[in-house]
Amino acid sequence: MKDFVIIGAAQAGLSMAYFLKQQKKDFLILDKENEIGASWLKRWDSLTLFTPTEFNHLIGMPFPAPKGHYPDKYEIAAYFKNYAETFEFPVQLNTLAERIEKTADGFKISTNKEAIFCKQVIVATGPFHIPFTPKFHKNLSSSIYQVHSNYYKNPEQLQNGPTLVVGGGDSGFQILDEVSKQSNATTYFSGSTAIRTLPQEILGKTLWWWFTVTGFLSFSKNSWIGKKISDAKQPIIGTDIKAIINRTNVEVVGYTLDTDGNTIKTTTKDLNDVQNIIWATGYKPNFEWIKGIELCKDGYPKHHRGISTTKGLYFIGLPWLHTRGSATLGGIKKDAVYLAKKIL
């Protein structure tokens, strides 16, 4: 029986592994992918972080890039691999945790390979679980190519002709920017354009420098300011929305309401010429594979700073685990330090 099992080998799981290694605990990291960093490598090719190098350091090993550099997904994955190898973490890949259940003396983790037993479990699977698309996407003709942003790689995937990008978050606008640059065909945008945008640098300092000195990323989710921040629409960072939607081949069509065959009904018009749809419509959490876990209305587990209502079961890497920075690469450090002190 292991002392600990960590589920997930990205920034959250690796950060907790650092402390378990320091304390010489008998632990194992499980990950469903075939390599460390795969969750980043699977995202679209041009993906880069909003945060520069100096805000991306995991505990005990600096990110290997100059100050002010914005890493791409390949650099992030390589950093994770190097981190795990440097500290010689025990990692078991290609292992999907399918069920966690409490036992008399700990936990049983059923996987696609075997059952693993441990005294305590740290779930570090992150916030992105089930790609969400509206149900009416099934009503579309098979001649229209559909892809969720989770599986989008680059414009070469797309058929010739107009493309509809649905979703007004960071991913949606970055993909809209890329697709509309690469093609002269009409690129429709479906979503709200009434969103605040923030540049990556202000007065010669990075946005994340300003976030740090003002404490923006450090307000607790239970504080008055933290509640205001979490309830507000998140701004788009580093993308010039106005410039994108003012391109001659970009047309804003409001919200997508329904579909039928080759027709897509939006707030402003019915679209009949769309050849591709990219659904940048986010994700839904999935924790139903953990037996007996208490969930909140939003589908995330009940916890206090990662300590769940089930003794011996912990979470890290969730959005707003404690602060706005909890699910970011640079912000995971504080949550890991706190959780490690509590459980070791």
Side-chain angles (χ1 to χ4, degrees), residues 189-329:
F189 170 70
S190 174
S192 174
T193 57
I195 297 176
R196 289 178 299 142
T197 60
L198 296 174
Q200 287 184 305
E201 294 189 4
I202 302 173
L203 299 176
K205 298 288 187 181
T206 69
L207 179 63
W208 296 92
W209 183 89
W210 288 105
F211 279 170
T212 302
V213 298
T214 59
F216 178 80
L217 298 176
S218 301
F219 293 113
S220 163
K221 67 178 180 181
N222 297 316
S223 67
W224 182 83
I225 296 179
K227 289 177 181 177
K228 287 290 183 182
I229 295 171
S230 63
D231 290 341
K233 240 180 193 178
Q234 298 304 313
I236 302 300
I237 298 172
T239 302
D240 190 345
I241 294 175
K242 286 185 179 179
I244 296 170
I245 63 177
N246 285 332
R247 289 175 186 159
T248 55
N249 66 326
V250 173
E251 183 177 342
V252 178
V253 293
Y255 294 103
T256 299
L257 306 176
D258 203 354
T259 62
D260 183 17
N262 289 300
T263 301
I264 301 162
K265 184 177 179 60
T266 72
T267 307
T268 64
K269 63 190 296 187
D270 289 352
L271 307 178
N272 298 298
D273 59 346
V274 171
Q275 300 300 308
N276 311 280
I277 299 181
I278 302 171
W279 299 101
T281 41
Y283 301 80
K284 284 189 173 183
N286 177 25
F287 293 96
E288 295 179 359
W289 53 283
I290 305 176
K291 186 178 179 181
I293 188 69
E294 285 191 86
L295 299 176
C296 299
K297 290 181 180 179
D298 60 4
Y300 286 100
K302 288 186 177 181
H303 66 88
H304 174 70
R305 297 193 67 172
I307 302 169
S308 81
T309 55
T310 300
K311 188 176 180 181
L313 179 64
Y314 308 95
F315 294 89
I316 190 167
L318 300 180
W320 280 97
L321 185 88
H322 181 54
T323 68
R324 174 68 177 84
S326 287
T328 64
L329 182 52

